[in-house]
Amino acid sequence: MGSWKYHVLLSAVALLILGPLGGIAASYMNFSVGFFIGGQVLAGILGSAVTYGYGAEGKHGANYMQTMAASVASLCAMSVLIQAMVWMGMEMPPAWHLMLFVGCVGMFAVGVGMLYTPLLVDKLQLDYPSGFAVANILRALTDKRLLKASISKLGGGALLGAFGAWLTEKVAFFAAISTSAATLGGGMIVGSRITVPAVVMAVLGAWQLPYLREIGWLGPQDPFRKVGFLIGLAMICGAAVVDLALLAGQALARIRARANVEEGNEPAWKKVNMPRLLAWVVGWGAATLAVGTLVLGQPVVWLLFGLGLALLFVLINGISYGITDQNPISSAFVISIMLMSLMGLTNPLVALMAATILLISTSVGCDMQQDRSTGWRLGTHRNIQFRYQVLGVTMGAVLCVGLARVFMTAYPTLAINQLDNPNVPVGQWGSAMTYKLVGAIRDLGSLSDAKVKAMVYGLVIGFVIQVLRKVVNGHAGYKRYIKSSRAGFALGWTMDSIVLASPYALSFGGFVAFPAAMWFGAGGVIASVWNTVTKKLAPPASGSPAEGEALPEDMSTMSLVGGGLIAGESLFFLIVGLIGLASLLA
C-alpha cells in the first residue's frame, strides 16, 4: 500500500474500467433522459472489491478510484454541450480544440472545488448525502467489523432503493406520484430541519401559483419551479453574502492570531498548500482564456465573465449540493444566460461558450467537493485525491468530445434541433438537458421583467432571513432556552424548520417538482422521528453493543438505510442505461 505499483493498479482500474463505464452511462443518460448518474456508488463498490485485501485501510484506495471515475463521468455528461452547439448551427472546431478547452475548464474547476473545500466541508461540515452514502459503503465493504454491523441496513436500503426505482419505471401510479427512493434517502440523511423547509417552499409556491399566473410571471400551464428556481438560487446568493462576510471577518481574525497558533495541529491528510492551489486556479483560468480566444476565437471579455460566474456558482451550487444532494447546474446555466442578456450580449454562440465554462465548472467542481466530503469522513489524503481527480479530468475531456461524436454519428437523430423540429420522431433520445440549454440561450436579449424581479426578491429574502437567523441563534438566552426543555426543543425546531428556515434548505423547494420536495421532506421527518423514538427506548449504557461491533457515530441506522436507498436507485438507473446502450449497439 502506498507504493507506485499500488497507485498504478488503482489508476489503471479507474481510468480503463470504472471511469469509462460511468462516463458512457452518464453521456447516454443525458442524451436520452436529460439527467445522469455519476457512478460513484458503482465505482465505490467495485473499487472496494479491488482493495478489500488491504483491510480497513483499503477504503482510501477505493475512494481514490471512485474519485477518478466520478471525474470522468462528470465531464462525459457534458457531451450535451457539443450537441447544443450542433443544434445551434455552430461550425464545429476540430475535436482536439474542444478537448483542449474542456480539459482546461475541467482543471480550473478541480482547483476551484478544492479551494472551497475548507469552507464547505471542513468549516460548514455539509452532509453531501451521496458522498455520505459512498463513505459508508467504502467503510463497510473494506472493514469486516463494520460490514457485519451494517450490511443488513445498507443492503436492505439498497434493495428497497432499486425496487422503488423499478416501481417508478414500470407502475403508472408510482410514476404519477414521482416516487424517488434516492430523494427519500437524502432526506433521511440530513434530517427534518433541512427537509421541512423545502416542503414549506414548495407549499408556498403551490399556494401562490394562481397569483403568479395571474400577474404574468408564469404561463397558464407552467409549474412553480419555472420561476421558483430563480428565487431559490437568488436566496442562496443572499444568504451566502451574509455568511461570507462573517467568514471573512473570522479569517482576518485568524490571520492576526496566526503567530499564536501552534503549528501542526491540522491533520496531515487535510493539509493543502494554498499558494500552490491559488496558482493552479489562476494558471488554468489563464489557460482557459488562451485556448478560448486563440484557438476557438471567442471574445475574452465574455470568457472572463464565465470564469467569474464559475467562481461564484461552484460555491453556491456546492452549498445546495451539500445540503440537499441537488446540484442545480441547469439553473445556474439559465441564470448566467439571463445575466449576459442583461449586460447586452446578443450573440448566442458566444453566450454558449461562456456559459459552457460555468456548466462544466459547477458539474466538476461540486462533484469534487462531494468526493472530498467522502474523503473527510474517511480521513483520505486530500492531495493524493486531488491528483486522482486531475487524471480523471484528463481522461474525461478526451471521452467527452469523443463520445459526443460517436453518439451523434451513430444516431443522427441527436443532431436534429428538437426546438425547430418538434414533430420529428426521436425515440428514446429526448435530450431534455440540451433542450433546456438551447431554449435558455434563445431567450438571449429578451430578459423579462418578471425574471429580474424574481431574482431581486429572492436575493432580498435570502439576505434578510439569514441576518435574522444569525441574530436569533446567536442570542445566549435563546440558546439556553432551546436546550433546557421539550418546549424549548420544540421552539428551536419550529424556528429552524418553518419560521426562520435556512434559505439554503428552502431553495430546494424551488428547484424541484412538488412531489420531489414531499419525498425529501418525508425522508427527514422519518429520520427525526426514528432518532427521537430510538433514543428514548435505548437501553442503559451497560446494554450497549460490544466494543468490536459498535458503529461510528455518523453511521447511524438512518444514514445507512438512506445511503442504501440512494445507492439502490443509482445502481438501477446506471444498469438500465448500460442495458439500453448495449441494446442499441447490438
Side-chain angles (χ1 to χ4, degrees):
M1 185 179 293
S3 67
W4 68 267
K5 293 180 181 180
Y6 173 78
H7 290 294
V8 167
L9 167 66
L10 303 186
S11 299
V13 172
L15 281 179
L16 303 179
I17 301 174
L18 302 182
L21 182 68
I24 291 169
S27 185
Y28 168 78
M29 292 182 74
N30 245 2
F31 279 132
S32 55
V33 296
F35 71 90
F36 69 96
I37 301 296
Q40 287 98 329
V41 172
L42 179 62
I45 292 172
L46 297 180
S48 296
V50 174
T51 61
Y52 182 78
Y54 293 99
E57 289 303 301
K59 63 190 177 188
H60 302 302
N63 191 28
Y64 295 143
M65 283 188 281
Q66 74 85 18
T67 294
M68 185 181 285
S71 303
V72 176
S74 291
L75 269 180
C76 287
M78 296 298 102
S79 54
V80 293
L81 287 166
I82 297 172
Q83 184 186 24
M85 295 176 188
V86 173
W87 280 23
M88 294 174 61
M90 181 178 179
E91 184 178 350
M92 295 301 294
W96 73 270
H97 288 184
L98 290 174
M99 290 176 184
L100 192 59
F101 183 70
V102 171
C104 288
V105 177
M107 295 297 183
F108 171 78
V110 169
V112 175
M114 176 68 97
L115 196 63
Y116 293 141
T117 296
L119 170 62
L120 302 184
V121 177
D122 300 337
K123 176 72 175 177
L124 299 181
Q125 296 188 7
L126 302 181
D127 285 306
Y128 289 93
S130 288
F132 200 149
V134 172
N136 282 346
I137 289 169
L138 297 184
R139 282 186 289 196
L141 295 183
T142 54
D143 189 322
K144 294 179 181 178
R145 176 181 63 86
L146 296 182
L147 184 62
K148 178 182 176 182
S150 63
I151 189 63
S152 61
K153 299 168 186 175
L154 192 60
L159 289 174
L160 285 174
F163 182 64
W166 179 84
L167 286 176
T168 305
E169 287 285 293
K170 300 297 183 181
V171 180
F173 171 75
F174 291 100
I177 62 173
S178 301
T179 304
S180 175
T183 305
L184 182 72
M188 292 169 70
I189 288 174
V190 300
S192 62
R193 292 186 191 234
I194 298 297
T195 66
V196 170
V199 174
V200 170
M201 179 77 163
V203 169
L204 287 173
W207 174 44
Q208 290 297 310
L209 196 56
Y211 175 71
L212 293 172
R213 289 171 177 170
E214 181 184 332
I215 64 175
W217 282 30
L218 294 172
Q221 303 300 322
D222 288 339
F224 168 67
R225 65 185 297 200
K226 189 169 182 179
V227 71
F229 84 87
L230 294 174
I231 299 172
L233 273 179
M235 286 171 65
I236 293 176
C237 290
V241 168
V242 178
D243 287 336
L244 291 176
L246 294 175
L247 288 169
Q250 294 174 13
L252 289 173
R254 289 182 62 187
I255 291 172
R256 293 192 187 101
R258 194 179 184 95
N260 299 322
V261 176
E262 183 182 348
E263 293 293 333
N265 283 342
E266 189 175 43
W269 62 268
K270 267 190 182 184
K271 289 183 178 178
V272 174
N273 188 312
M274 192 55 68
R276 288 185 184 178
L277 181 58
L278 289 171
W280 176 280
V281 172
V282 172
W284 283 108
T288 299
L289 292 177
V291 173
T293 53
L294 301 178
V295 178
L296 297 178
Q298 298 300 308
V300 67
V301 172
W302 294 109
L303 294 178
L304 272 170
F305 186 68
L307 288 171
L309 285 180
L311 288 170
L312 174 64
F313 277 98
V314 171
L315 174 63
I316 292 171
N317 283 32
I319 293 171
S320 173
Y321 206 14
I323 291 176
T324 67
D325 207 33
Q326 294 288 323
N327 182 2
I329 57 175
S330 57
S331 299
F333 183 92
V334 172
I335 282 192
S336 73
I337 297 298
M338 290 171 56
L339 291 174
M340 285 186 273
S341 179
L342 194 63
M343 296 173 66
L345 179 63
T346 57
N347 187 324
L349 299 181
V350 173
L352 177 60
M353 293 304 294
T356 291
I357 297 174
L358 173 65
L359 197 68
I360 292 175
S361 295
T362 49
S363 177
V364 174
C366 294
D367 182 66
M368 300 303 99
Q369 292 164 5
Q370 176 178 270
D371 289 337
R372 287 180 194 114
S373 76
T374 301
W376 174 74
R377 296 183 184 283
L378 302 178
T380 300
H381 198 288
R382 198 163 278 175
N383 287 328
I384 298 177
Q385 194 174 9
F386 181 86
R387 293 164 194 158
Y388 274 83
Q389 289 165 341
V390 167
L391 288 175
V393 165
T394 303
M395 173 65 88
V398 174
L399 282 180
C400 172
V401 179
L403 287 173
R405 295 293 180 93
V406 168
F407 272 106
M408 285 190 287
T409 300
Y411 308 103
T413 299
L414 288 169
I416 298 174
N417 186 331
Q418 295 178 24
L419 281 88
D420 292 336
N421 303 278
N423 297 320
V424 172
V426 295
Q428 87 267 26
W429 302 112
S431 302
M433 176 69 80
T434 310
Y435 195 93
K436 286 189 290 184
L437 302 182
V438 176
I441 290 176
R442 288 196 165 188
D443 287 339
L444 198 69
S446 58
L447 185 62
S448 70
D449 184 58
K451 291 179 179 179
V452 175
K453 286 183 177 178
M455 288 193 293
V456 171
Y457 288 160
L459 191 68
V460 172
I461 291 169
F463 181 86
V464 171
I465 290 177
Q466 195 69 355
V467 168
L468 292 175
R469 281 175 57 85
K470 296 296 182 185
V471 172
V472 172
N473 292 331
H475 191 278
Y478 174 78
K479 288 193 289 187
R480 282 196 304 270
Y481 179 71
I482 62 175
K483 294 178 181 179
S484 64
S485 64
R486 290 183 180 179
F489 175 83
L491 174 65
W493 185 91
T494 303
M495 294 291 288
D496 275 347
S497 304
I498 300 174
V499 179
L500 284 179
S502 166
Y504 304 123
L506 282 167
S507 65
F508 182 73
F511 293 145
V512 299
F514 188 83
M518 296 301 107
W519 284 109
F520 188 60
V525 171
I526 290 170
S528 293
V529 170
W530 172 274
N531 291 335
T532 300
V533 171
T534 53
K535 187 176 181 180
K536 289 181 180 178
L537 299 177
S542 59
S544 60
E547 184 179 348
E549 297 182 0
L551 288 169
E553 185 177 347
D554 63 347
M555 290 183 75
S556 65
T557 296
M558 286 294 99
S559 70
L560 287 169
V561 174
L565 290 171
I566 294 173
E569 183 170 293
S570 298
L571 289 173
F572 176 85
F573 283 118
L574 187 63
I575 292 169
V576 166
L578 289 171
I579 291 172
L581 179 60
S583 66
L584 288 170
L585 297 176

